[in-house]
Amino acid sequence: MKYMKTVIAAILSVLLLCGCAPSEQTAQIAATTLPVWEFSSRLCGGTPITVTRLVTEQISCLHDYSLNVRQVKAAEAAETIVISGAGLEAFLDDLLRNASVIDASKGIPLLCNAEEGDHDEEEHHHHEEDPHIWLSPENAKAMARNICTGLSARYPEYAQTFEGNLDGLLTDLTALQQYGEDALAELKCRKLITFHDGFSYFAKAFDLTILKAVEEESGSEASAQELIELITLVEEQSLPAVFTEANGSTSAAGVIARETGCRSYALDMAMSGNSYFDAMYHNIDTIKEALG
């Protein structure tokens, strides 16, 4: 009996010591949208750092976005928040004021919105500068480098891992750019009408021209006058297609397609969904099919 008491006492001592031992704290990062979440997650591969994505809904823009309770808690709990930047996350201003932030847009030249000034700014929610920088693979490389630099500064013990992961990410982005250039080199038409004003960087990356970008949202579709102008433009330019946004309105594009005989295709903003790369390859393939 005395022996059993000694054994039990020893087991309890071990359990108490294990319970009191400090556990390793996992670093928590929150990233706003699909591109910066995917880039951050890849960079953090092989480390104990976890990356939480804040915006997970299928959306076409963040102009009027607001966080839900889950997202606010995730942002407040994060040690670091990675943002796309360039004004995209204006809805996060209050939370970011006292947070540790990595801005992926640092140093990237910004384009003005297509058709800037053609519509009432307040009604159509235009920004002075276009924040959709990730739709250019070269910009995406700069974003990845910015995130890597920010992560290395905050977690220097993993800097070598971040750098190694960055090499692989840059290789994939280079392959994406090359694929687009090769696939779209021989297009019969290089002119686009889009029903979202965020594709300027994509067009520039692959030598395309956006003739008109219409910011159409549910409840604020293109007016009759705009539709007439767009139909005329399609006919004058002999455009084979017009392009909606995958999560946006298709109302005006449907009217134009019926009136002119052109086809309507959906492009992806690559801001939500499961894979930035899948969305970008889809866009390239869609443009080739529509305009090739």
Side-chain angles (χ1 to χ4, degrees), residues 160-180:
Q160 188 172 354
T161 301
F162 297 145
E163 289 291 341
N165 291 336
L166 177 63
D167 290 341
L169 181 52
L170 295 180
T171 296
D172 288 347
L173 289 167
T174 297
L176 173 64
Q177 178 68 35
Q178 190 61 55
Y179 178 85

Side-chain angles (χ1 to χ4, degrees), residues 136-152:
S136 158
E138 291 301 318
N139 284 348
K141 286 184 183 181
M143 295 172 74
R145 292 189 186 99
N146 284 336
I147 297 171
C148 183
T149 299
L151 290 174
S152 296

Side-chain angles (χ1 to χ4, degrees), residues 16 26 34 63 65 74 84 98 107 110 119 151 163 191 199 201 211 242 273 278 280 290:
L16 286 171
T26 300
L34 173 64
H63 297 159
Y65 194 80
S84 183
N98 298 313
L110 302 180
H119 308 291
L151 290 174
E163 289 291 341
K191 299 175 182 178
F199 291 104
Y201 295 99
L211 296 176
V242 293
D278 285 353
M280 290 293 288

Side-chain angles (χ1 to χ4, degrees), residues 24-47:
E24 182 179 355
Q25 294 297 313
T26 300
Q28 297 292 330
I29 293 174
T32 53
T33 58
L34 173 64
V36 290
W37 171 79
E38 190 166 340
F39 299 163
S40 299
S41 296
R42 287 193 55 172
L43 290 169
C44 291
T47 77

Side-chain angles (χ1 to χ4, degrees), residues 2 6 27 61 191:
K2 182 177 180 181
T6 302
C61 70
K191 299 175 182 178

Side-chain angles (χ1 to χ4, degrees), residues 112-227:
C112 290
N113 277 307
E115 304 299 320
E116 184 69 39
D118 282 4
H119 308 291
D120 179 80
E121 184 170 340
E122 182 176 353
E123 179 182 354
H124 289 272
H125 314 291
H126 278 281
H127 296 281
E128 182 179 346
E129 294 174 313
D130 187 345
H132 305 91
I133 52 177
W134 61 88
L135 288 170
S136 158
E138 291 301 318
N139 284 348
K141 286 184 183 181
M143 295 172 74
R145 292 189 186 99
N146 284 336
I147 297 171
C148 183
T149 299
L151 290 174
S152 296
R154 285 158 177 74
Y155 309 105
E157 64 272 31
Y158 305 122
Q160 188 172 354
T161 301
F162 297 145
E163 289 291 341
N165 291 336
L166 177 63
D167 290 341
L169 181 52
L170 295 180
T171 296
D172 288 347
L173 289 167
T174 297
L176 173 64
Q177 178 68 35
Q178 190 61 55
Y179 178 85
E181 291 177 6
D182 293 343
L184 306 180
E186 304 297 331
L187 291 180
K188 297 173 184 175
C189 173
R190 309 195 73 85
K191 299 175 182 178
L192 286 71
I193 290 177
T194 65
F195 288 88
H196 193 290
D197 64 354
F199 291 104
S200 295
Y201 295 99
F202 181 85
K204 185 176 180 180
F206 299 111
D207 193 27
L208 305 169
T209 299
I210 296 180
L211 296 176
K212 188 82 171 179
V214 181
E215 185 71 358
E216 185 179 53
E217 300 175 7
S218 179
S220 60
E221 284 79 10
S223 66
Q225 181 60 40
E226 282 182 306
L227 286 173

